[in-house]
Amino acid sequence: AYRALLAMALVQPKMEGLMFWGFTDQHSWIHFKFGADEPLLLDENYRIKPAYHGCCDGALDALLAQRCWENGCAPTAKNWWEQPP
């Protein structure tokens, strides 16, 4: 989900930024509001989770897609964000 979100959002001309409401599950407000969940990029011990890699991959996908569009090739969604991890 993070990969697809970043890949689509970062190629939008009016995209100005992306905010995460926290970076580690240890201090997530989600637990108190909605119940146990692990929505952030780092776990409670500050270790990288798959969501972190998804964000990195999505950013790279967007960069490659933008470069491809500028050079005349047209990637499809399957080419850059629907690939299995």
Side-chain angles (χ1 to χ4, degrees):
Y2 280 102
R3 182 178 186 171
L5 174 69
L6 266 289
M8 289 186 288
L10 292 175
V11 297
Q12 301 304 313
K14 297 196 180 221
M15 172 71 170
E16 292 184 6
L18 178 70
M19 180 190 318
F20 293 93
W21 290 31
F23 61 94
T24 173
D25 292 331
Q26 181 176 7
H27 304 291
S28 175
W29 60 274
I30 297 290
H31 301 302
F32 304 108
K33 182 79 173 168
F34 301 105
D37 197 3
E38 294 153 352
L40 299 171
L41 304 181
L42 304 176
D43 71 11
E44 62 278 351
N45 295 310
Y46 297 88
R47 290 183 300 234
I48 292 173
K49 293 176 20 185
Y52 175 88
H53 294 292
C55 287
C56 293
D57 292 343
L60 180 59
D61 292 343
L63 178 65
L64 294 173
Q66 186 65 34
R67 184 174 181 197
C68 188
W69 286 325
E70 289 172 356
N71 292 320
C73 61
T76 66
K78 188 149 188 84
N79 293 100
W80 46 291
W81 72 68
E82 291 183 356
Q83 300 272 338

